[in-house]
């Protein structure tokens, strides 16, 4: 049984997903820092975090501290099967992993992360207007519907356990 949703956020997109998922599954959500104080190593969690340079931030730390059942990777790029597979390879993931489109908020990005995102934006061809606009102006793609696969997976698992 999942004890909590544990998240790590940079600009708030992951926090919003954690909040929505908490309401949908009726389980608490904690930042990674809070979770280390409130949960035990043997507790099963859903881990949500943002992506930077193909890596899911703080995944190794969460994996060391808890039993992860599902991973939600939050990023700016459009969702594709190919991108999700690359994330799994880059992060050595064998657990169920779900891609959740977040966005870019230049007002909240700080330091090196702001520089990295702007540099990545300069590599995007101008013909790719959606991504080009996103990396120029920022944007938010957080939607409850983006969590449907993860919610369905957990509800199906819950139904199996109740049989």
């Amino acid at each position: 049984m999942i004890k909590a949703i544990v998240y790590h956020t940079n600009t708030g997109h992951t926090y919003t997903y954690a909040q929505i998922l908490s309401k949908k599954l009726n389980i608490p959500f904690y930042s990674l820092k809070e979770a280390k104080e409130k949960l035990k190593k043997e507790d099963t969690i859903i881990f949500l975090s943002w992506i930077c340079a193909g890596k899911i931030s703080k995944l190794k730390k969460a994996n060391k501290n808890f039993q992860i059942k599902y991973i939600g990777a939050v990023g700016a790029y459009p969702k594709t099967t190919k991108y999700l597979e690359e994330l799994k390879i880059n992060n050595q993931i064998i657990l169920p992993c779900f891609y959740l489109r977040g966005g870019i908020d230049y007002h909240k990005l700080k330091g090196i992360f702001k520089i990295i995102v702007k540099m990545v934006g300069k590599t995007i061809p101008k013909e790719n207007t959606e991504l080009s606009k996103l990396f120029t102006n920022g944007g938010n793609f957080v939607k409850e519907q983006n969590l449907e696969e993860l919610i369905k997976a957990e509800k199906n698992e819950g139904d199996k356990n109740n049989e």
Side-chain angles (χ1 to χ4, degrees):
M1 186 171 128
I2 294 176
K3 185 85 172 186
I5 297 154
V6 176
Y7 71 93
H8 178 64
T9 192
N10 189 25
T11 61
H13 299 101
T14 307
Y15 169 82
T16 303
Y17 276 124
Q19 193 175 35
I20 295 167
L21 192 57
S22 172
K23 287 179 186 169
K24 287 290 188 182
L25 297 178
N26 199 28
I27 54 177
F29 69 104
Y30 306 111
S31 69
L32 184 56
K33 185 177 179 180
E34 291 172 314
K36 287 168 64 179
E37 297 169 6
K38 295 184 182 227
L39 301 174
K40 299 177 194 138
K41 189 172 176 67
E42 62 271 8
D43 286 338
T44 302
I45 65 161
I46 296 173
F47 182 64
L48 305 179
S49 189
W50 57 286
I51 302 163
C52 182
K55 294 288 187 179
I56 300 170
S57 183
K58 305 291 184 185
L59 177 59
K60 286 183 183 178
K61 186 177 252 183
N63 208 23
K64 191 172 91 176
N65 287 291
F66 309 105
Q67 304 302 311
I68 299 174
K69 185 171 183 180
Y70 302 112
I71 298 167
V74 181
Y77 289 105
K79 180 181 177 181
T80 66
T81 303
K82 182 182 177 198
Y83 186 55
L84 180 58
E85 290 307 312
E86 288 173 11
L87 279 173
K88 288 179 180 179
I89 292 166
N90 290 345
N91 292 276
Q92 302 174 340
I93 295 172
I94 55 173
L95 298 167
C97 182
F98 302 87
Y99 181 75
L100 308 169
R101 192 162 189 207
I104 297 173
D105 186 339
Y106 283 112
H107 295 98
K108 293 181 182 174
L109 271 175
K110 298 198 182 355
I112 190 72
F113 299 116
K114 193 171 201 171
I115 293 166
I116 290 170
V117 171
K118 285 189 176 196
M119 284 175 28
V120 169
K122 290 179 182 179
T123 68
I124 295 173
K126 296 295 179 208
E127 305 85 63
N128 191 334
T129 54
E130 181 195 5
L131 274 183
S132 184
K133 283 180 185 175
L134 173 64
F135 277 86
T136 301
N137 306 319
N140 185 342
F141 298 94
V142 175
K143 294 182 186 126
E144 188 176 307
Q145 303 93 287
N146 295 344
L147 288 163
E148 285 176 356
E149 287 179 65
L150 197 160
I151 292 167
K152 185 177 177 184
E154 176 50 24
K155 288 193 175 185
N156 286 343
E157 188 67 27
D159 291 344
K160 285 181 195 174
N161 292 337
N162 291 331
E163 290 176 357

